[in-house]
Each structure stands twice: as C-alpha cells, then as structure tokens.
Amino acid sequence: MNITIIGTGTVAQSLAEKFIALSHNVVLGTRAPEEKKADQIPNPITGRSFQNWYRVNNNVKLAALKDSAQDADLIVNATQGVVSLELLLEVGRPAMAGKILIDIANPFDTSKGVMTICNTDSLGEQLQAAFPETKVVKSLNTMNAYIMTHPESIPDQHNVFLSGNDLESKREVKLLLKSMGWKDEQFIDLGDISTSRGTELLLPIGLRLYAAFGHSNFNFHIQTANQ
Amino acid sequence: MNITIIGTGTVAQSLAEKFIALSHNVVLGTRAPEEKKADQIPNPITGRSFQNWYRVNNNVKLAALKDSAQDADLIVNATQGVVSLELLLEVGRPAMAGKILIDIANPFDTSKGVMTICNTDSLGEQLQAAFPETKVVKSLNTMNAYIMTHPESIPDQHNVFLSGNDLESKREVKLLLKSMGWKDEQFIDLGDISTSRGTELLLPIGLRLYAAFGHSNFNFHIQTANQ
C-alpha cells in the first residue's frame, strides 16, 4: 500500500519505520523536503536529528506537501495539531479526496500548555468538515509513538480508540492497526467523528500522568465490571 | 467521623450509605431539607425517589446548607459541578475552614452537553481559590457512584486519582477510600489541585464510552509498560 504520512517528527518517524517493515511504500509530506533531509537539529525526545534518522531510513521518500498524497492509498496526519489544518490544506483537497485520513494529532499548544480546540469541537471534526470528500478516522492519538507502533510493549490490556463517520474506513484502519500488532479485543469504536472530543481530551490527563510517572510508557485501559 | 455530604443525588446517596455502613455520622446538606424528605420524583438513574431512599436510610441527617458543616470533620462536594460553587458558598467559608473538602463533582452542563470549565481552569482549582482555608482534594470524579463505593465490583485493575495541594489531606482521603475498599496500588497521586484539569476532562470520553457500551460500569486504568 502507498501510505503518505504528513509530518516528519517522532510520531511520523515511528510510523514510517513500522510501515516500511510491513512492506508498504512510505512518503513523508513536509514543507521543504531538501531542507528537512539536511536537518541536524537533535529531536528533543529521541536526541537524533532528522538527517541521522533519514540516513538509516532512506527507503522512505520525502515530498513537498502539495506533491505528497496524489498516489497515496491512505494518508496519516502526524503533524502538530495546532498546524494540521493549514498543512493539510497545502496537501490539497483533490489529492485527499476519496481517501482515508488517519488523524493522530491533538490540538495542543505546547507554548501555552492548553488545547486550542476542545469541549465544543475537536480537530477530528474540523478536519472532516474541511475535507468532506476524505474519510477521517481519528485513532492512535491517545498514546506515545512507541506504544502506537509496539502495542506488545505493554503486555497487559490496553486500548486504542476509533472515531469516524464511515464504518468501512474504520474497518480498514483496524486492519492496518492489526497488522501493526494491535489485537481485536483492544479496539473501542466510540462512534462518529464527534467522539474525537473524548479522545483528544485524554491529552490533558496524559501530560499529568507523564509528569507524575516521569515517563510516557503507559496507555489507557477501560476496565469493565463483570456485570 | 462526622461527614457532611453536600448534595442529595445518586452520588450523595451512595456515599452516605457507604459511610453509614462504616459507622460514620452522615449529614446531607441541601437547600430545603423538609421538602427534600418529601420528594417523590423518581431518580432518573435508580428509579427511586428521595423519600423512598430516605425511608430506609433515616440514620442519615438532612440539614440546610448553612447548618450542614459546622460539626463536620470532613466535607464531600457531591453536587452538580455547574452549581457547586454557589451551593458551597451557602455552606459558608467559616464552616468549611481548616477542613478537607473531597470534590467529586465535574463541571458539566447536561442541558448543553459541554463542560462549563475546562482547559485553562478546573472546578477543583476554582473551589480551592474560593475557599483558601479549606483543603480541597479532587478524587472519585472519574467513575460512577457504584464503582466509587464498590471498587471490588471491578475485579481487575483500575485506578482512582488524587489531586490536591496538601499532602497530609491527600493521605487522609486515601485512608478513607481504603476503608471503602480501595487498595494502595489503585491510587495515582497526580499532584496539586491544578491536575484536576486532567481528571475532569475524563468526563467527555466517559460519556462517549457510556454511549458505546450502553452502561457506565467501567473505570479508567492506566496500564504501564514493563520498562
């Protein structure tokens, strides 16, 4: 499958590695591909520059946003939530029309420490409204990049949520995630794209759990009573 | 211990029954005690009227808000979050001074389906600011009333969060919750009262899980990787 990931950060890199390992063709869409390839700034989380990451992952293609998604079978939004809409508009409605967009971004302003969209709206809904011909499925936005791509790293039960208006698209996303190691019993389909309001608001407690634990190697698990 | 619960709804009733079973003296603070005792409106969750509940739980005392907390050793806010501040101001700063207030309310407007406080503030913080001489501990606000008082009803792992500025108060709340059946390993102390911003925002996903499951007999569990 041809998968285009919009973004070049930790999440985009982790997903790209996983998709390549699963024999997909991967394009990373970014504003300035040649500059990005030469980017030597250490990533604040991994400590590795994009240049160094790309040196060992050069089977991933880089493309300018407007050229990144024409041939994609599926698109992943792995940008920062505060700029997702702007960047996806550069990718363009025609290139995204008729395709699934997995939205894994959260609309969080790191400089202010607050959500930029919440309560009465969500990024998932805004993207679906901006790209009516694209099938937006919100998923994977409730955990760190390592757990997204290595669900087996948490041996006990934990969950991944699905929000989206199109049932068939959610089934396809579920199949992709299962190929990445997620198991049937870990999925919770919350309903339509408006349920993104629920999952995006797991970020505020996620950040506080990160502060309390000193690490982000955790995930949410919904434990049900035996009734 | 003398425990005053502000509120008379499902949560207040469940906690009152539990505290009475644990041999505490319980007062429910409400606007109009005599009218409440005669209230025959069926509770939308339990189907039982307050009058019928009170008939079998008449060892609980009812008191007007302004008379409810003078003799309390500990106060619980079990009101609807949208009116908590107003009702607690009727209870009065002097009656609450120097005491622990367990805040289990969420600022959710059921008529509009939105949080009334979120993202840049929380009810927990607003109460702590309004009652600077009271030690506010936010807890139990992330599950239904039955699970609060019957944690053993979920046999597997699940969590209860603590947010508050005063360590000693959090220890006392933890002791009370342990007497109710909560176990050491279930507690997550998130830090100061501002971490209420995290737990109060579990309500939006909680409501969507309720819709997806068709019941609210679940609780959040933070599953950590073995690293």
Side-chain angles (χ1 to χ4, degrees):
Chain A
M1 184 154 63
N2 292 333
I3 303 180
T4 291
I5 301 170
I6 311 301
T8 55
T10 319
V11 173
Q13 291 172 21
S14 299
L15 288 170
E17 289 175 37
K18 190 74 177 189
F19 292 148
I20 289 285
L22 292 167
S23 304
H24 297 297
N25 302 311
V26 178
V27 172
L28 295 187
T30 185
R31 275 176 167 144
E34 293 312 313
E35 285 174 36
K36 185 42 76 177
K37 285 178 190 169
D39 180 355
Q40 297 187 40
I41 300 165
N43 179 297
I45 297 171
T46 63
R48 187 157 64 160
S49 70
F50 188 86
Q51 188 185 58
N52 283 342
W53 178 81
Y54 193 62
R55 199 167 284 159
V56 290
N57 291 281
N58 52 17
N59 36 11
V60 172
K61 287 187 190 130
L62 257 68
L65 294 168
K66 66 177 177 51
D67 306 319
S68 64
Q70 279 84 351
D71 299 329
D73 299 308
L74 184 145
I75 305 164
V76 179
N77 174 32
T79 62
Q80 290 187 48
V82 288
V83 291
S84 291
L85 184 55
E86 177 192 344
L87 296 178
L88 289 171
L89 285 170
E90 282 194 48
V91 174
R93 287 194 182 91
M96 291 171 61
K99 295 172 186 173
I100 292 172
L101 174 72
I102 307 181
D103 175 29
I104 61 178
N106 287 310
F108 184 74
D109 184 334
T110 47
S111 68
K112 292 177 184 158
V114 296
M115 305 295 288
T116 55
I117 307 165
C118 75
N119 197 22
T120 55
D121 202 356
S122 64
L123 178 62
E125 287 166 276
Q126 288 197 357
L127 295 182
Q128 185 59 82
F131 300 91
E133 292 179 65
T134 300
K135 293 163 275 183
V136 179
V137 177
K138 188 104 201 177
S139 193
L140 291 174
N141 61 311
T142 55
M143 65 199 79
N144 76 22
Y146 188 77
I147 295 170
M148 284 182 202
T149 50
H150 299 80
E152 73 288 351
S153 67
I154 300 185
D156 300 304
Q157 294 173 292
H158 59 113
N159 293 114
V160 61
F161 303 99
L162 296 169
S163 301
N165 297 341
D166 184 53
L167 282 178
E168 179 55 29
S169 300
K170 286 191 279 193
R171 267 193 290 271
E172 287 184 40
V173 171
K174 189 173 170 180
L175 279 177
L176 178 66
L177 267 57
K178 284 176 75 175
S179 75
M180 292 161 63
W182 289 92
K183 293 174 189 156
D184 265 322
E185 63 270 23
Q186 296 186 287
F187 291 86
I188 297 179
D189 184 345
L190 288 170
D192 69 27
I193 194 66
S194 76
T195 60
S196 302
R197 290 185 203 182
T199 62
E200 291 177 10
L201 288 177
L202 286 175
L203 189 68
I205 189 161
L207 292 170
R208 284 159 183 97
L209 287 164
Y210 179 32
F213 294 164
H215 67 81
S216 66
N217 296 314
F218 59 84
N219 194 12
F220 296 95
H221 174 224
I222 310 304
Q223 189 71 267
T224 307
N226 292 341
Q227 303 198 27
Chain B
M1 187 155 60
N2 293 334
I3 302 180
T4 291
I5 301 170
I6 310 302
T8 56
T10 318
V11 173
Q13 291 172 21
S14 299
L15 288 171
E17 290 176 35
K18 190 76 177 189
F19 292 148
I20 289 286
L22 293 167
S23 303
H24 298 296
N25 302 311
V26 177
V27 173
L28 295 186
T30 186
R31 275 175 166 143
E34 293 312 314
E35 285 174 35
K36 184 42 78 176
K37 285 178 191 169
D39 180 355
Q40 297 187 40
I41 301 165
N43 179 295
I45 297 170
T46 63
R48 188 158 63 162
S49 70
F50 189 86
Q51 188 185 58
N52 282 341
W53 178 81
Y54 193 62
R55 200 166 284 158
V56 290
N57 291 282
N58 53 17
N59 36 11
V60 172
K61 288 186 189 131
L62 258 68
L65 293 168
K66 66 177 178 50
D67 305 320
S68 64
Q70 279 84 349
D71 298 330
D73 297 308
L74 185 144
I75 306 163
V76 179
N77 174 30
T79 62
Q80 290 188 45
V82 289
V83 291
S84 292
L85 184 55
E86 176 192 343
L87 296 178
L88 289 170
L89 285 170
E90 281 194 48
V91 174
R93 288 194 181 91
M96 291 172 60
K99 296 173 186 172
I100 292 172
L101 174 72
I102 307 181
D103 175 29
I104 60 178
N106 287 310
F108 185 74
D109 184 335
T110 48
S111 68
K112 293 177 184 157
V114 296
M115 305 295 287
T116 56
I117 308 165
C118 74
N119 197 21
T120 55
D121 202 356
S122 63
L123 178 62
E125 287 165 277
Q126 288 197 358
L127 295 182
Q128 185 59 81
F131 300 90
E133 291 179 65
T134 299
K135 293 163 274 183
V136 179
V137 177
K138 187 104 201 178
S139 193
L140 291 174
N141 61 310
T142 55
M143 66 199 79
N144 76 22
Y146 188 77
I147 295 171
M148 283 182 203
T149 50
H150 299 80
E152 73 288 350
S153 66
I154 299 186
D156 301 304
Q157 294 172 291
H158 59 112
N159 293 114
V160 60
F161 303 98
L162 297 168
S163 302
N165 297 341
D166 184 53
L167 282 179
E168 179 54 30
S169 300
K170 286 192 278 193
R171 267 193 290 270
E172 286 185 41
V173 171
K174 189 173 171 181
L175 279 177
L176 178 66
L177 267 58
K178 284 176 74 174
S179 75
M180 291 161 63
W182 289 92
K183 292 174 190 157
D184 265 322
E185 63 270 23
Q186 296 186 286
F187 291 86
I188 297 179
D189 184 345
L190 288 170
D192 69 26
I193 193 66
S194 76
T195 61
S196 302
R197 291 185 202 182
T199 61
E200 292 177 9
L201 287 177
L202 287 176
L203 189 68
I205 189 161
L207 292 170
R208 285 160 182 98
L209 287 165
Y210 179 32
F213 294 164
H215 67 80
S216 65
N217 296 315
F218 59 84
N219 194 12
F220 296 95
H221 174 225
I222 309 305
Q223 188 72 267
T224 307
N226 291 341
Q227 302 197 29

